[in-house]
Amino acid sequence: MAYETLFTPTTLGSLNIPNRVIMAPLTRSRTPDSVPGKMQEAYYGQRAGAGLIISEATNISPTARGYVYTPGIWTDEQEAGWKGVVNAVHAKGGRIALQLWHVGRVSHEMVQPNGQQPVAPSALKGEGAQCFVEFEDGTAGQHPTSTPRALETDEIPGIVDDYRQAAIRAKRAGFDMVEVHAANACLLNQFLATGTNQRTDQYGGSLENRARFPLEVVDAVMEVYGAERVGIRYDAVYRAVWFDRRRSGSDGVLHGGAALQARPGLPAPERAELGGRRHHLPCGFPRADA
Ligand SMILES: Cc1cc2nc3c(=O)[nH]c(=O)nc-3n(C[C@H](O)[C@H](O)[C@H](O)COP(=O)(O)O)c2cc1C
């Protein structure tokens, strides 16, 4: 049978999964108040037959948002909502990971608390980039992003801590794993890519420096979940829409991924690629060449 392997069990880190179907994270924009509820319980519960569900990207803080109606994981109410979702998946014998998200510059003052500027590695607007906002007449739609401000060096530990707190809440809600979102032009991807990261401090410049923040986040989240229950998603393709082609060497994102993969404790690429051009990288695997 052509798909025999697809339906055989395997492990992801320390998680046993009964088949190799991994449901990709899919933003749905169905939580107007950012709190998952009955609709999300039904939606994810219906998909519990997957080996692993990776949830829609979930904002780690109010400033992490760039898309209205997406869920969060920074309040008690959101945590309780997610607990209901996890219970619905577990009740049907499934497993679910929470994807942790900060959009960085792919946002607008309209979506940010107190109308503040979105944050980014550097104060560079994403040319052609769109976020999702609610207009004054109550309708919602895509809208060009605004110019971000560059994060101060001493602000970065606070965002690392936001990821840590989000992971703590995810664990309390019962998620089987968490995935750090570092693909699709979100904040951590912006740090990895040369087109968006023009910093001169220890978070910019060399490959090691550009990967520093994403890896600090991975470390913080692994402290909460253990290495074998944490993944990172990074983008191996170069995106002209989200990154400024004129400023970015084509090495920007690709080599960012290489820096993540080269790190001891992270898996070799052939064991890491769970899907497509955007790789999901489970952190707790031994390297194949170790
Ligand atoms: C509507 C929609 C929403 C998506 N939301 C997310 C998301 O929340 N997080 C994420 O990492 N990827 C997201 N993606 C990307 C998908 O997970 C997936 O990578 C893509 O649809 C399949 O392409 P690929 O096989 O080339 O990766 C989204 C894609 C679509 C079409």
Side-chain angles (χ1 to χ4, degrees), residues 50-185:
L52 176 69
I53 297 169
I54 303 179
S55 79
E56 64 204 278
T58 298
N59 304 290
I60 58 161
S61 70
T63 48
R65 297 172 74 229
Y67 300 78
V68 291
Y69 312 156
T70 53
I73 184 81
W74 71 86
T75 70
D76 291 347
E77 216 185 345
Q78 292 162 346
E79 182 185 317
W82 278 121
K83 191 170 188 153
V85 172
V86 172
N87 288 344
V89 171
H90 286 171
K92 294 192 172 178
R95 292 137 302 275
I96 181 167
L98 184 70
Q99 191 183 56
L100 303 178
W101 195 28
H102 190 309
V103 299
R105 73 175 192 170
V106 188
S107 185
H108 192 280
E109 279 95 344
M110 279 187 270
V111 188
Q112 288 289 314
N114 309 316
Q116 70 195 35
Q117 263 183 303
V119 296
S122 303
L124 298 168
K125 184 170 153 41
E127 299 302 335
Q130 306 258 342
C131 55
F132 193 64
V133 304
E134 191 175 81
F135 301 105
E136 277 178 11
D137 66 1
T139 61
Q142 291 202 315
H143 193 277
T145 56
S146 28
T147 303
R149 71 173 180 83
L151 280 165
E152 300 293 340
T153 307
D154 63 8
E155 288 181 288
I156 290 178
I159 300 183
V160 173
D161 197 52
D162 288 341
Y163 279 95
R164 183 183 292 107
Q165 297 307 324
I168 289 169
R169 286 189 180 278
K171 197 165 185 194
R172 280 203 300 250
F175 281 99
D176 300 284
M177 296 183 91
V178 287
E179 181 178 72
V180 174
H181 194 359
N184 299 0

